[in-house]
Amino acid sequence: MFCLLGGSLFNAKISALGCYAPPRVLTNFDLEKMVDTSNEWILERTGICERHIAAPEMATSDMAVEAARIALERRGIEATDLNAIIVCTVTPDMLFPSTACLVQDRLGAKGVWGFDLVAACCSFLYGLTTAAHLVSAGAHDKVLVVGSDTMSRIIDYTDRSTCILFGDGAGAMLVERAENGEQGFIGFMNEVDGSGGDCLKMPAGGSRMPATCETVENRLHYVKQEGQQVFKYAVRKMYEMCRDLLAKHGLTPDDVSVMIPHQANRRIISAVAERLGVPCDRVVINIHRYGNTTSATIPLATRDAIEGGKLKKGDLVLFAAVGAGYTVGASLWRWNI
Ligand SMILES: CC(C)(COP(=O)(O)OP(=O)(O)OC[C@H]1O[C@@H](n2cnc3c(N)ncnc32)[C@H](O)[C@@H]1OP(=O)(O)O)[C@@H](O)C(=O)NCCC(=O)NCCS
């Protein structure tokens, strides 16, 4: 046995990636017909051109299964080879059973355990970090992390301040034990700050405010957001988290080959990258195509980075996100695919 990660037995790496975006596209021009907005306003204030919307019969587990199957196929393994499935989502098919159970069943992953992880736009990063620790502790060989969100089901399409921002999608990454001295997971920093809970939330449908005719009439089962407050917090905390994580590992922004941030607003991403000093050609932005898909932004952006030739084997990747909660997270990986 040897020690790699401050007490860890093994190193963990990301060994496969799969993504799914539903085929239907909702453009800014479509939204112009639904609410009082314009393509120019949306583009200028957010960077979004279009987002994908799931068909009515499709739920979060269905998109998760599509993404998971691609990741498993790319790695050439069966679902039964997995040890655990972590489904990261704020839009589970239902409150229980967990979406992880539904995905496990649909994949035929007999004998595998799993759970849902709820950390809004940080869910996927928290899932990756959790998986990396399960693997590096030697508890598991292979953990599938799936981020899947059907945001269109909790968005109020009469509220122009939120309905322009979100889209649906899913992405999966397989985290497994690295071999022969390969480096994968390097480190992470996560933080939650519940004092910001009121700034971004879905008020009704939980134990605090169960569903009633009144909650439905008052549109309380939709996302409510204080946009400007979330914006300012996101810029400050994402920057601080990335800065501190790099410093903790004796790295500088110059060492980062590719920064893959959560895609909530192009202006948030640009402001963070500029403060950090990571040049824009090393920052992945695909928000124009998908909007904010919550738990799926990071895998979708990673796929686009690979396909665009921006992310290659051996690169140092910095993932970062801020989400409702507030939740904040960043992690560093040596890319292995
Ligand atoms: C939501 C967001 C795009 C709004 O942009 P903004 O520049 O802050 O805009 P404001 O909320 O200050 O609104 C400015 C004006 O535009 C209007 N406006 C809001 N949405 C609009 C839309 N879709 N189309 C046209 N006008 C709009 C507002 O009503 C306001 O009008 P007023 O000045 O007459 O009152 C921005 O705050 C944001 O992206 N916040 C962070 C969101 C986020 O990251 N959420 C997820 C976190 S994971």
Side-chain angles (χ1 to χ4, degrees):
M1 294 294 179
F2 55 96
C3 179
L4 280 174
L5 271 177
S8 305
L9 294 175
F10 303 99
N11 207 348
K13 66 174 182 179
I14 295 165
S15 59
L17 168 70
C19 289
Y20 176 80
R24 188 187 151 210
V25 169
L26 183 71
T27 66
N28 291 350
F29 299 104
D30 296 327
L31 283 165
E32 282 181 352
K33 296 177 199 134
M34 296 161 67
V35 286
D36 180 14
T37 191
S38 66
N39 175 53
E40 292 73 33
W41 193 95
I42 301 172
L43 253 183
E44 189 197 313
R45 306 309 294 164
T46 71
I48 302 167
C49 296
E50 57 187 37
R51 61 294 284 144
H52 292 246
I53 303 292
E57 65 278 10
M58 192 161 221
T60 292
S61 67
D62 302 314
M63 295 195 297
V65 165
E66 296 287 340
R69 283 194 177 131
I70 295 170
L72 294 174
E73 196 184 306
R74 296 236 162 105
R75 180 64 184 85
I77 60 169
E78 301 296 326
T80 46
D81 295 325
L82 297 172
N83 302 115
I85 300 171
I86 303 174
V87 175
C88 311
T89 187
V90 292
T91 50
D93 286 27
M94 55 196 110
L95 281 178
F96 68 90
S98 72
T99 306
C101 292
L102 308 177
V103 171
Q104 174 274 335
D105 184 49
R106 288 272 306 284
L107 290 176
K110 276 213 176 341
V112 171
W113 75 292
F115 56 91
D116 287 5
L117 194 158
V118 186
C121 297
C122 281
S123 304
F124 192 81
L125 279 196
Y126 287 12
L128 270 189
T129 300
T130 305
H133 283 86
L134 284 169
V135 169
S136 57
H140 288 324
D141 287 339
K142 290 179 176 62
V143 180
L144 188 68
V145 183
V146 193
S148 182
D149 267 308
T150 323
M151 294 305 291
S152 61
R153 301 288 150 75
I154 59 165
I155 293 301
D156 184 349
Y157 285 96
T158 66
D159 174 8
R160 69 177 181 175
S161 68
T162 51
C163 75
I164 55 155
L165 297 170
F166 295 93
D168 302 335
M173 289 189 192
L174 181 65
V175 177
E176 68 176 278
R177 190 181 296 180
E179 284 170 21
N180 307 325
E182 272 178 313
Q183 193 184 31
F185 181 58
I186 296 169
F188 78 105
M189 267 189 164
N190 289 341
E191 185 182 318
V192 301
D193 177 2
S195 69
D198 279 339
C199 292
L200 181 49
K201 64 181 179 183
M202 190 179 100
S207 61
R208 177 72 58 195
M209 207 187 288
T212 61
C213 295
E214 206 184 354
T215 61
V216 173
E217 267 167 30
N218 290 329
R219 310 183 82 76
L220 296 174
H221 298 268
Y222 292 125
V223 171
K224 309 285 176 198
Q225 174 172 249
E226 301 291 337
Q228 283 196 14
Q229 288 194 46
V230 176
F231 188 101
K232 285 181 203 152
Y233 185 87
V235 171
R236 179 171 64 83
K237 286 303 288 191
M238 208 192 288
Y239 159 68
E240 288 175 2
M241 202 55 100
C242 292
R243 178 198 65 192
D244 294 350
L245 177 63
L246 288 169
K248 183 177 154 190
H249 291 276
L251 297 163
T252 71
D254 282 345
D255 297 311
V256 175
S257 319
V258 187
M259 179 176 174
I260 304 184
H262 169 57
Q263 312 280 313
N265 186 314
R266 177 184 268 273
R267 291 186 294 131
I268 293 176
I269 299 172
S270 303
V272 172
E274 193 179 322
R275 268 199 211 182
L276 203 57
V278 177
C280 53
D281 63 336
R282 282 194 262 140
V283 181
V284 180
I285 301 183
N286 69 349
I287 193 169
H288 50 289
R289 295 175 59 198
Y290 300 105
N292 182 350
T293 54
T294 304
S295 302
T297 60
I298 287 191
L300 283 167
T302 304
R303 182 198 61 185
D304 286 0
I306 294 168
E307 289 180 356
K310 211 167 192 168
L311 174 60
K312 296 176 290 300
K313 194 169 178 167
D315 280 349
L316 184 77
V317 184
L318 171 62
F319 292 123
V322 169
Y326 292 116
T327 53
V328 190
S331 59
L332 282 164
W333 296 75
R334 185 70 60 187
W335 194 247
N336 287 91
I337 311 174

